[in-house]
Amino acid sequence: MLDITWFIYYLYVSKLKIIHGMRTRYKYKKLKLAWLKSLLLIVLSLPTSGVSASQFTELLNHLSQGGYVIYIRHAATRHDDADHENLKLDDCSTQRNLTGEGKDYAQRLRTFFETLSIPYAQVISSPFCRTRDTAQLAFDNVIVQDFLFFSAGLNQQDRSRLSQKLRGYLNTKPPSGRNNIVVGHTSNLLEAVGRWPEVEGEMHIFLPQGGVMPRHIGTIKPDQINRWFVSR
């Protein structure tokens, strides 16, 4: 499954470069709609799933004790739009943004973490509006980090540099009794540790190992969060 995912991602990045002749990290045009639909259908067909109900409960118990790094893909966005050619990080009108549903989900995340007393020390976010908005609606004291810049479409050297920094962060132990939280994009996590956050709002939990790669503990899907929210 991982090999297929990497192949799809390779095509995705190649298409960005070939079609649009990218020359800077900020300058890229919209993908053709047909290509985006094809990519989405292939990625959604990959056999990924969240933890079971019993694993979900066990995972929450672990998180309440701290010691993990939680990677969250930004909440739901408008897929009939894309980041503009003249994208500006300080102008959300030039970017793909959260839907009303996405904003609601981010606020549910805040309730989720507060109700379950899941402690966190630091929250870092990509500089894109959809990630910053997700992080700021869900958590306090968000720090924007440039190394979380959306990596899809960047050249190989820049992607490698960003993935190395993210991998290092995922493998760094948070303060005792607390977790660290990252709000980012799909491609960055795939490049760093070979994990594809299939669904917007999806959480991947990592245990820092202090070596080359962090240990992936589990995945929490948005529908699991939503079911918890309804049943609480």
Side-chain angles (χ1 to χ4, degrees):
M1 187 270 287
L2 184 56
D3 290 340
I4 297 175
T5 305
W6 273 107
F7 176 68
I8 294 169
Y9 181 58
Y10 171 77
L11 291 178
Y12 174 55
V13 172
S14 298
K15 192 76 172 183
L16 278 170
K17 292 181 178 179
I18 293 171
I19 292 179
H20 309 305
M22 291 186 58
R23 289 177 171 82
T24 69
R25 63 189 301 185
Y26 297 106
K27 186 177 181 180
Y28 54 96
K29 297 180 180 179
K30 294 180 182 179
L31 288 172
K32 290 183 177 179
L33 185 58
W35 170 255
L36 279 176
K37 287 182 177 178
S38 298
L39 177 67
L40 183 63
L41 287 173
I42 295 172
V43 170
L44 291 180
S45 69
L46 296 176
T48 59
S49 61
V51 295
S52 66
S54 60
Q55 292 172 325
F56 179 71
T57 301
E58 182 179 2
L59 190 54
L60 295 183
N61 290 334
H62 287 309
L63 291 178
S64 67
Q65 298 173 26
Y68 298 89
V69 181
I70 306 168
Y71 189 98
I72 307 174
R73 183 185 174 189
H74 59 76
T77 58
R78 291 184 53 188
H79 288 284
D80 59 346
D81 197 5
D83 296 324
H84 296 185
E85 177 184 0
N86 60 339
L87 184 148
K88 297 178 181 178
L89 292 176
D90 60 352
D91 184 357
C92 294
S93 69
T94 67
Q95 303 175 41
R96 191 175 93 241
N97 293 298
L98 297 184
T99 60
E101 179 185 352
K103 293 177 181 179
D104 289 344
Y105 175 76
Q107 292 172 329
R108 284 196 292 274
L109 280 180
R110 177 179 288 273
T111 301
F112 179 78
F113 274 77
E114 290 178 350
T115 302
L116 295 174
S117 300
I118 299 175
Y120 59 88
Q122 185 178 64
V123 181
I124 62 174
S125 166
S126 156
F128 278 64
C129 291
R130 55 186 175 270
T131 47
R132 286 193 284 111
D133 289 347
T134 300
Q136 290 167 356
L137 286 169
F139 307 105
D140 296 321
N141 304 317
V142 176
I143 301 171
V144 173
Q145 292 285 0
D146 288 339
F147 74 83
L148 295 173
F149 185 95
F150 189 28
S151 64
L154 299 182
N155 61 49
Q156 180 60 51
Q157 182 177 0
D158 284 341
R159 297 204 316 271
S160 296
R161 175 176 54 83
L162 296 184
S163 64
Q164 183 177 9
K165 288 187 177 181
L166 175 56
R167 188 163 51 249
Y169 189 87
L170 295 175
N171 216 12
T172 300
K173 292 182 179 181
S176 178
R178 289 183 286 176
N179 306 287
N180 283 336
I181 298 171
V182 182
V183 182
H185 307 272
T186 51
S187 58
N188 299 63
L189 191 63
L190 180 63
E191 293 265 3
V193 295
R195 292 283 173 176
W196 179 278
E198 173 192 3
V199 183
E200 291 175 316
E202 185 170 302
M203 282 196 267
H204 285 257
I205 317 302
F206 295 92
L207 178 64
Q209 298 288 286
V212 178
M213 294 286 282
R215 178 184 171 192
H216 186 262
I217 301 299
T219 303
I220 298 178
K221 298 285 188 178
D223 62 348
Q224 293 176 299
I225 301 291
N226 292 333
R227 286 197 301 271
W228 171 88
F229 194 84
V230 170
S231 64
R232 68 191 181 94

